[in-house]
Amino acid sequence: MTLRKGEKMTISIQEHMAIDVCPGPIKPIKQISDYFPRFPRGLPAAVGRSSSLRSAVSQPSVSPAEAPREEDEDVDQLFGAYGTTPAEQPAKCPAPEEVVDPEGYESDDCTTLGTLDFSLLYDQENNALHCTINKAKGLKPMDHNGLADPYVKLHLLPGASKANKLRTKTLRNTLNPTWNETLTYYGITDEDMIRKTLRISVCDEDKFRHNEFIGETRIPLKKLKPNQTKNFNICLEKQLPIDKTEDKSLEERGRILISLKYSSQKQGLLVGIIRCAHLAAMDANGYSDPYVKTYLKPDEDKKSKHKTAVKKKTLNPEFNEEFCYEIKHGDLAKKTLEVTVWDYDIGKSNDFIGGVVLGINAKGERLKHWFDCLKNKDKKIERWHTLTNELPGAVLSD
């Protein structure tokens, strides 16, 4: 084909398609990951390109009975056993649960949250649970300076409330605090030791914001033997959910120590209001001004009401008062004793703190206390009882 001067050569579409522009078979493009070795998740970066790894990969320890494995599997196995000598290295590959958590070791609460050293003692004779908080170690940093201001608080479950919360002092700027502090719950019964769980939480105090949770542990009290100290050194755990199905009507408002005695000489029931412990705070100052009322029902004449004196600004009042109900011993089986605790307020209605019912329709320790009184004339029987925020059949007004 002859071209004139200045004329460009043109190629038809047919000629263009006939040109062999492919020098050979098309190969897939390599991915970037093909240029880098595969490491198991969670392996320290310093080990990534070490020469010891390459020598280990070249001489994998595989028994003759095993079938040949893929190269990636062998590398994973060798990394799983990294840091052990050949004598210590197990014959089988590590179990899957031993693989390091890819989220930065969060599964090992000991390394992230710390440990807590404490001891528990149930004093059965005095109905007291002594909780000695010794120290914590390796707590999780919570403040911008890489430290924390830790304290420990206790709750009894179920029925956790401010009334049964105890706490230690706060120690400043430390991840390894030593408290050596004993917190005591009074009014703990054998029934509580069977069904209650002690929740121990470590928190970080913050002056300008809400206090922050660090970790917790829970100890079923049934693990303790009466009058024997049990020591614990436990890894703190992440916050566990509280059972929402728990009946809120059974929220605990404190404990009360009551004595019962049927006096043959006075021909009546002697009810002693001895003391209360861990009452709910009803006033803005964090305290209450408690007093106790008692009723023996049914009360047709409405003359069975008795009232103690008011104790100012306390959550652990001591009353040591006794009331007498003149009644025949045979009629007591038909009666019910209602005991309520109130917070006295000037110029407005008094606040209900909590109550308890003793009688044939009661359960557990409340029923046992009533029957023991009926069976043992002229014998004073003292028992601790839990106050709850609802009292069936009671008039919640004063």
Side-chain angles (χ1 to χ4, degrees), residues 19-291:
I19 297 174
D20 185 7
V21 294
C22 182
I26 298 176
K27 296 181 179 180
I29 300 174
K30 282 193 173 185
Q31 297 181 3
I32 293 179
S33 59
D34 291 338
Y35 294 92
F36 297 93
R38 285 190 181 181
F39 300 134
R41 293 178 292 179
L43 188 73
V47 184
R49 295 186 178 90
S50 65
S51 58
S52 61
L53 169 65
R54 288 192 293 271
S55 62
V57 174
S58 62
Q59 296 178 357
S61 57
V62 181
S63 61
E66 291 180 348
R69 293 191 179 96
E70 295 291 334
E71 182 182 354
D72 291 341
E73 292 181 7
D74 291 336
V75 173
D76 285 349
Q77 290 175 26
L78 289 167
F79 269 99
Y82 177 78
T84 61
T85 62
E88 296 171 340
Q89 191 170 337
K92 295 182 180 180
C93 63
E97 55 267 23
E98 293 179 358
V99 177
V100 181
D101 193 334
E103 305 231 336
Y105 307 95
E106 284 292 323
S107 64
D108 189 356
D109 291 335
C110 289
T111 59
T112 58
L113 304 180
T115 60
L116 183 65
D117 185 286
F118 61 97
S119 64
L120 302 176
L121 169 63
Y122 173 47
D123 182 352
Q124 191 175 33
E125 182 179 354
N126 297 307
N127 295 103
L129 176 64
H130 303 288
C131 312
T132 301
I133 308 299
N134 298 319
K135 61 184 178 179
K137 186 177 180 181
L139 293 180
K140 179 181 178 182
M142 303 299 290
D143 299 335
H144 61 85
N145 60 1
L147 300 173
D149 302 321
Y151 67 92
V152 177
K153 65 179 180 179
L154 311 179
H155 282 103
L156 285 175
L157 305 176
S161 66
K162 290 183 179 180
N164 67 31
K165 181 183 84 170
L166 300 177
R167 62 162 287 175
T168 67
K169 60 188 176 184
T170 301
L171 300 181
R172 303 289 176 186
N173 297 322
T174 178
L175 300 180
N176 300 287
T178 299
W179 289 281
N180 290 328
E181 194 171 338
T182 299
L183 307 174
T184 301
Y185 281 107
Y186 295 99
I188 300 297
T189 64
D190 291 341
E191 183 181 358
D192 291 325
M193 296 302 294
I194 294 173
R195 68 183 187 92
K196 291 283 188 180
T197 295
L198 180 65
R199 179 190 184 194
I200 305 177
S201 307
V202 181
C203 300
D204 170 60
E205 186 176 291
D206 199 317
K207 291 183 178 179
F208 306 106
R209 296 179 298 175
H210 291 294
N211 296 343
E212 296 180 289
F213 175 86
I214 297 178
E216 72 168 41
T217 186
R218 298 187 186 184
I219 307 296
L221 296 184
K222 61 185 177 182
K223 289 186 175 182
L224 305 180
K225 294 181 180 179
N227 307 313
Q228 292 186 20
T229 301
K230 187 173 179 64
N231 298 308
F232 297 87
N233 193 333
I234 294 180
C235 295
L236 296 173
E237 303 176 74
K238 298 174 185 176
Q239 193 161 15
L240 301 172
I242 296 178
D243 188 5
K244 299 295 184 182
T245 61
E246 180 186 326
D247 189 359
K248 292 185 178 180
S249 68
L250 297 180
E251 177 188 335
E252 292 186 6
R253 295 296 187 90
R255 305 289 173 110
I256 186 168
L257 180 58
I258 301 172
S259 69
L260 297 179
K261 174 185 175 181
Y262 186 82
S263 173
S264 301
Q265 183 181 357
K266 294 184 178 182
Q267 289 293 304
L269 175 67
L270 302 180
V271 178
I273 304 300
I274 302 171
R275 60 177 294 199
C276 294
H278 314 299
L279 292 181
M282 306 302 289
D283 297 335
N285 60 8
Y287 293 96
S288 293
D289 301 321
Y291 67 94

Side-chain angles (χ1 to χ4, degrees), residues 260-270 296-297 324-336 359-360 368-381:
L260 297 179
K261 174 185 175 181
Y262 186 82
S263 173
S264 301
Q265 183 181 357
K266 294 184 178 182
Q267 289 293 304
L269 175 67
L270 302 180
L296 191 62
K297 295 187 175 183
C324 180
Y325 292 100
E326 293 184 3
I327 186 174
K328 294 178 181 179
H329 182 267
D331 293 337
L332 271 181
K334 305 172 186 177
K335 295 289 185 176
T336 296
I360 57 173
K368 189 175 186 298
H369 194 184
W370 190 253
F371 270 124
D372 287 347
C373 171
L374 296 181
K375 291 178 182 178
N376 301 279
K377 284 186 181 181
D378 300 311
K379 181 180 179 182
K380 181 183 286 189
I381 300 173

Side-chain angles (χ1 to χ4, degrees), residues 1 8-19:
M1 180 179 179
K8 294 182 179 180
M9 187 175 81
T10 60
I11 301 175
S12 67
I13 188 64
Q14 290 82 3
E15 292 174 319
H16 177 75
M17 295 300 292
I19 297 174

